[in-house]
Structures are given as C-alpha cells and as structure tokens.
Amino acid sequence: MKSLIFRTIAPVIVSVMVLFSIFVLLRGHNEPGGGFIGGLIAVAALSIYGIAFGVETVRRAIVFHPLSVAGAGLLLATLSGLLSMVFHVPFMTGLWVYPVVFGQEIPLSSVMTFDIGVYLVVVGAVTSIALSLEERGED
C-alpha cells in the first residue's frame, strides 16, 4: 500500500496489537483468552505490517520460517501434555509449581506452556497462509 499515513501509523498499531496478544496469551490459562485468540491477534498485527510494508519485510521481521514456528509450538504443546504422564497423572492434567522470586511466589503451570505452544502453532500456521495470500495478491 502506498499510503504515507498508513505506513506511518502501522508500526504503532502493530506494536500495540502484539503487546495485547501477549497479554491475552498470559491471561488465558486462568481466565478467558489464551493461546488461540492471542495468536490470531498477533497474526492480524503481522498482516497489517505486511500490507503496509510488503511480505519480504514481514519475513525478515519474524526471522524464522512460519511453519518452523508452528512446529516448535506443536512440540511444546505435546511435551506439556506428556509431562503429566511422567508424574503418573492422566494425559494433559495441569501441573503447578510455585517458585519464589525476590520474595514473591509465582505460580507456573504446564497449562501455560500448553497455551504458549498453541499460540506458536496459530501464529506460525496462519502467518504462513496470510503471507502466501499476500504474495499472490502482489502479482
């Protein structure tokens, strides 16, 4: 897109959307939201960036191939589920640890790592599709 206004405001919009997608991801394992919705918000941000600056700029910005990101997310989500079997509880049972950092107890769970895996799968797979569609549109 050739609009100077759009190219000027796009980085701000993208930054806010990515920050919001991470908020939705981290909030999701305890409340509504999570990896899927957060991933879709991140893909929408990358799509806006691609419309403003082109597909090659987005490919350089994300560093890894989108399908590699999806594969890493699928591996993380699977390992999160298998972790419960190591502790002799049913597959995909949430496990919690409570480390103390600077005197503050922080709850961490396998549910959160599963959500992060889902986030990466959605970002990788849908970004790959979106970039392919945008490349076809540039022809």
Side-chain angles (χ1 to χ4, degrees), residues 76-87:
L76 181 62
T78 303
L79 291 175
S80 297
L82 292 175
L83 183 64
S84 62
M85 295 178 72
V86 172
F87 291 97

Side-chain angles (χ1 to χ4, degrees), residues 75-118:
L75 179 65
L76 181 62
T78 303
L79 291 175
S80 297
L82 292 175
L83 183 64
S84 62
M85 295 178 72
V86 172
F87 291 97
H88 305 292
V89 293
F91 181 68
M92 296 295 288
T93 300
L95 302 172
W96 295 83
V97 294
Y98 300 92
V100 176
V101 179
F102 300 116
Q104 182 69 34
E105 187 178 77
I106 300 174
L108 298 176
S109 70
S110 62
V111 177
M112 185 171 56
T113 58
F114 177 79
D115 269 348
I116 292 170
V118 170

Side-chain angles (χ1 to χ4, degrees), residues 10-96:
V12 175
I13 293 170
V14 169
S15 300
V16 171
M17 287 178 73
V18 168
L19 189 63
F20 183 66
S21 80
I22 293 170
F23 168 76
V24 169
L25 165 68
L26 295 177
R27 186 186 126 212
H29 67 281
N30 287 331
E31 295 180 23
F36 187 78
I37 301 302
L40 289 178
I41 295 168
V43 170
L46 290 173
S47 295
I48 289 171
Y49 199 71
I51 292 168
F53 297 103
V55 173
E56 284 306 312
T57 307
V58 174
R59 290 196 187 277
R60 281 193 307 268
I62 59 177
V63 181
F64 298 105
H65 191 278
L67 293 179
S68 297
V69 174
L74 186 59
L75 179 65
L76 181 62
T78 303
L79 291 175
S80 297
L82 292 175
L83 183 64
S84 62
M85 295 178 72
V86 172
F87 291 97
H88 305 292
V89 293
F91 181 68
M92 296 295 288
T93 300
L95 302 172
W96 295 83

